[in-house]
Amino acid sequence: MKLTGAEILTRFLADEGVEYVFGYPGGAVLHIYDALHRQDRLKHILVRHEQAATHAADGYARSTGKPGVVLVTSGPGATNVVTGIATAYMDSIPMVVITGQVPTSLIGNDAFQEVDSVGITRPCVKHNFLVKDVDDLAMTLKKAFYIATTGRPGPVVVDIPKDVTANVADYKYPRQIEMRSYNPVVKGHPGQIKRAVKMMTSARRPMIYSGGGVILDDASKALTELGHLLGCPVTNTTMGLGGFPASDRQFVGLLGMHGTYEANMAISNCDVMIAIGARFDDRVTGNIEKFAPKAKIIHVDIDPASISKNVKVDVPIVGGVNNVLKAMLKQLKAEGFKPDEEVLGKWWAQIEKWRAKDCLKYDASGDRIKPQHAVDLLHKITKGDAFVTSDVGQHQMWAAQYYGFDKPRRWINSGGLGTMGFGLPAAMGVQLAHPKAQVACITGEGSIQMNIQELSTCLQYDLPIKIVCLNNGYLGMVRQWQEFFYDNRYAHSYMDSLPDFVKLAEAYGHVGIQVDKPADVEGAIKEAFKQKDRLVFLNILTDPTENVYPMVPAGAGLDEMILI
Amino acid sequence: MRHIISILMENEAGALSRVAGLFSARGYNIESLTVAPTEDVTLSRMTLVTRGSDEIIEQITKQLNKLIDVVKLVDLAEGPHIEREMMLIKVKTTGSGAREEILRLVEIFRGNIIDVTPTTYTIEMTGRADKLDAFIVALDKAPILETVRSGVSAISRGVKSLRV
Ligand SMILES: Cc1cc2nc3c(=O)[nH]c(=O)nc-3n(C[C@H](O)[C@H](O)[C@H](O)COP(=O)(O)OP(=O)(O)OC[C@H]3O[C@@H](n4cnc5c(N)ncnc54)[C@H](O)[C@@H]3O)c2cc1C
Ligand SMILES: Cc1ncc(C[n+]2csc(CCOP(=O)(O)OP(=O)(O)O)c2C)c(N)n1
Ligand SMILES: [Mg+2]
């Protein structure tokens, strides 16, 4: 059957199982928007800024495991998505971004709304394509989805010139795909797995350090089983939260710059570290020379380039987390492995001593609202079962430290790029994917203003997100560094002339609630969640001087934390 | 250490800029780079000369392998191999005795003179990069007007070959 490129695109997306397309129209994609208009299998969500389309698709992807899909026009449409693409790239999120392009005959001519989209996005995509012939369109799209969702996932850009969307070709949904140049390894090497198992079973102070790879591979069940079988402490990166239940006694919390005392001390003293789907980021390791100095390291990662990049490891295993963990479990069970209670008991006695420091304690008795307390209350009221998106700053770290995620894909944040403005649009994607679920966006008064226009999108699509704005009147994370390392010189970290967020929410057709007394926080959050079908903006005025503790200063080792 | 990385990649538009972009984005250095299609026109063969510690070379090969267009690669410096570079060089021949002197040098280095004018020679020379360097040093009396070097091409010795 002959179809236009635009029709092939919309058909393909529907055939591929895509539910939502997040986008914004413009000249180069008019044929595509017209084709969208003439079909009913795909739903299009009209955002208010293209950056938000990428974050919404990203939130959809993180909360479902399915790829997010974005459609924008050429030129400014394409440049506006770069931040969102880079955000997804850094956190390995599957996403396909379709950008319109000027007609092939005008490419390179400085044509109206022309930018080299493939060139601009090249450093922050897993791969990208320029489709010059409508005959190649369906297969290229298939490749894009295949690449985005397999191996180490990531964003893929498909740039489509306007004439290609008007030209006609035969269309048949390509079911199969094979690429000689791209074959990600999923199964771990059996010999390496054997060595790893031997190393973990003979450990005296074992420790699991797991990250985003566990979430991306839906491997939290296998991870939890391994943790329980070994009986060892488990720590998660910011990206790995929910991979192992936070309420489990073996969970010692976040590690790294704002990790708990017990997690960082355990890392610094363990003798065998099992790193699973984590990439030894500099926020995690602190001073690399002082990282896990006593440990032999096993590292499971699907991307060979993640292994021995920052820290040399003893047993590298290239493979998918799920696959490798299952192979390890099988072997451990076949051996009838049981940990030596006495040896492990000693290790735990030490860990409990560190834990007794209670490094996340805070004093909520004053007359200022403590942001940590607000997050604790959010956990209580949502029974720890909400999807929580966040922006970037102190509030992000408090959300990570205090919410306590028991399930994967519930914690949605920009870890690698640290993109302010991520939280609200990400929450839109999450809410669309899970219409009945409680979705909270923990944000700051700085970050929320970076994509505040999306309140309008939320109204259009009836997205009852609860925005929990921990409003400290500062670019708090910046202010904290200035307090600690720049002698309290607060250069441009103060948020002057803030809008009245309650009125602003109301102007967008939503509900706004202001809270400034500690005693009112619980009631306000409850009230917000009672309004099941409304977006509620909770403007919670928190203690402006509060800092995130513990903190590992730049250049220090993990055992050299600043504690409260 | 110096490494010669030989890459087989899909002959796609933009493949070269992905490699060049990777090197500049990650701060690796490129000493030379050559690329051309192979007997199979869907594949290009690239030869890239770089330097770095073992850790950096390991990252370079892993990152190159990660590029979707890269089908296969090998670090030729890890085994016995042959490398060649081609140079075209134009020199002035106007000094007294210059023509004879240059002719002798070209013979010693087993080059060819491929173009002649009353005042210049154009010489073609092939060999290892260090031989070409040595020729340039040896020429020092004859003013060089222009040099063009192809960059290193290399292949492994013996029956081993890099193919899909
Ligand atoms: C203000 C701020 C403060 C921060 N502070 C901290 C902090 O204190 N502590 C902290 O931990 N982080 C912190 N972060 C986040 C940090 O920057 C990194 O994003 C994070 O540590 C990376 O997590 P990860 O190692 O789990 O890697 P991810 O980025 O999640 O990478 C996942 C890894 O898993 C691999 N992988 C993917 N899929 C699979 C699969 N199927 N099978 C096997 N492997 C797979 C990938 O190749 C990759 O190596 C902070 C961020 C911000 C913005
Ligand atoms: C787009 C972008 N610009 C700048 C930064 C640097 N930055 C990191 S945290 C932060 C402050 C965030 O302020 P706010 O949203 O109020 O959160 P708080 O730290 O006060 O909780 C800034 C400016 C960033 N991460 N992202
Ligand atoms: Mg703030």
Side-chain angles (χ1 to χ4, degrees), chain A residues 152 211-212 217 237-238 255 257-258 277 279 284 301-302 306 321 415-416:
Chain A
R152 179 178 184 167
D217 208 22
T237 67
T238 312
L255 84 161
M257 180 174 278
H258 294 299
R279 58 184 172 86
V284 162
D301 203 294
I302 203 158
S306 278
V321 170

Side-chain angles (χ1 to χ4, degrees), chain A residues 112-277:
Chain A
F112 177 62
Q113 296 197 323
E114 175 180 8
V115 295
D116 174 9
S117 302
V118 165
I120 285 181
T121 58
R122 187 178 300 120
C124 58
V125 292
K126 184 167 171 187
H127 197 60
N128 56 19
F129 296 96
L130 169 65
V131 184
K132 283 187 163 161
D133 187 336
V134 68
D135 287 328
D136 300 335
L137 182 57
M139 202 31 129
T140 305
L141 288 166
K142 184 72 191 174
K143 281 185 187 166
F145 277 83
Y146 173 59
I147 292 167
T149 54
T150 51
R152 179 178 184 167
V156 176
V157 168
V158 183
D159 198 27
I160 312 180
K162 189 169 184 179
D163 53 325
V164 173
T165 64
N167 294 344
V168 293
D170 279 320
Y171 170 71
K172 198 167 147 257
Y173 174 67
R175 260 169 222 293
Q176 297 282 317
I177 172 107
E178 211 175 301
M179 293 175 71
R180 63 179 170 185
S181 65
Y182 174 70
N183 297 292
V185 175
V186 178
K187 271 188 73 182
H189 188 280
Q192 289 297 83
I193 291 174
K194 225 181 232 158
R195 282 179 63 203
V197 167
K198 185 147 177 246
M199 193 176 272
M200 31 178 130
T201 52
S202 51
R204 302 182 69 82
R205 297 183 310 280
M207 165 120 206
I208 290 177
Y209 145 56
S210 77
V214 172
I215 310 293
L216 291 164
D217 208 22
D218 292 312
S220 56
K221 233 183 105 205
L223 173 70
T224 308
E225 206 182 331
L226 181 71
H228 287 161
L229 197 59
L230 296 177
C232 65
V234 180
T235 182
N236 286 164
T237 67
T238 312
M239 298 310 298
L241 292 173
F244 189 85
S247 56
D248 194 294
R249 206 190 62 87
Q250 282 173 241
F251 187 62
V252 291
L254 186 72
L255 84 161
M257 180 174 278
H258 294 299
T260 64
Y261 185 67
E262 51 272 34
N264 285 345
M265 291 306 285
I267 286 281
S268 305
N269 288 281
C270 65
D271 70 342
V272 170
M273 173 194 287
I274 309 157
I276 306 171

Side-chain angles (χ1 to χ4, degrees), chain A residues 251-381:
Chain A
F251 187 62
V252 291
L254 186 72
L255 84 161
M257 180 174 278
H258 294 299
T260 64
Y261 185 67
E262 51 272 34
N264 285 345
M265 291 306 285
I267 286 281
S268 305
N269 288 281
C270 65
D271 70 342
V272 170
M273 173 194 287
I274 309 157
I276 306 171
R279 58 184 172 86
F280 296 83
D281 183 79
D282 49 84
R283 293 263 141 158
V284 162
T285 59
N287 185 333
I288 210 109
E289 309 291 324
K290 300 181 184 171
F291 182 72
K294 302 169 187 167
K296 289 237 178 295
I297 303 178
I298 298 161
H299 189 189
V300 183
D301 203 294
I302 203 158
D303 179 1
S306 278
I307 296 180
S308 293
K309 180 173 70 175
N310 301 333
V311 171
K312 210 129 193 79
V313 303
D314 301 280
V315 184
I317 304 175
V318 177
V321 170
N322 238 332
N323 234 291
V324 173
L325 287 186
K326 282 181 183 152
M328 286 175 170
L329 284 166
K330 200 168 150 198
Q331 199 179 322
L332 283 164
K333 284 181 198 159
E335 287 175 16
F337 172 74
K338 290 237 159 36
D340 181 332
E341 292 302 334
E342 201 189 311
V343 173
L344 200 59
K346 263 199 211 148
W347 179 219
W348 273 107
Q350 174 62 68
I351 294 164
E352 291 303 342
K353 267 189 216 148
W354 290 323
R355 198 180 246 169
K357 269 222 171 176
D358 196 9
C359 67
L360 295 180
K361 64 180 173 279
Y362 57 88
D363 178 8
S365 64
D367 54 3
R368 293 278 200 175
I369 298 171
K370 289 291 174 185
Q372 302 94 324
H373 190 48
V375 177
D376 269 340
L377 288 170
L378 179 69
H379 175 99
K380 184 175 150 199
I381 292 158

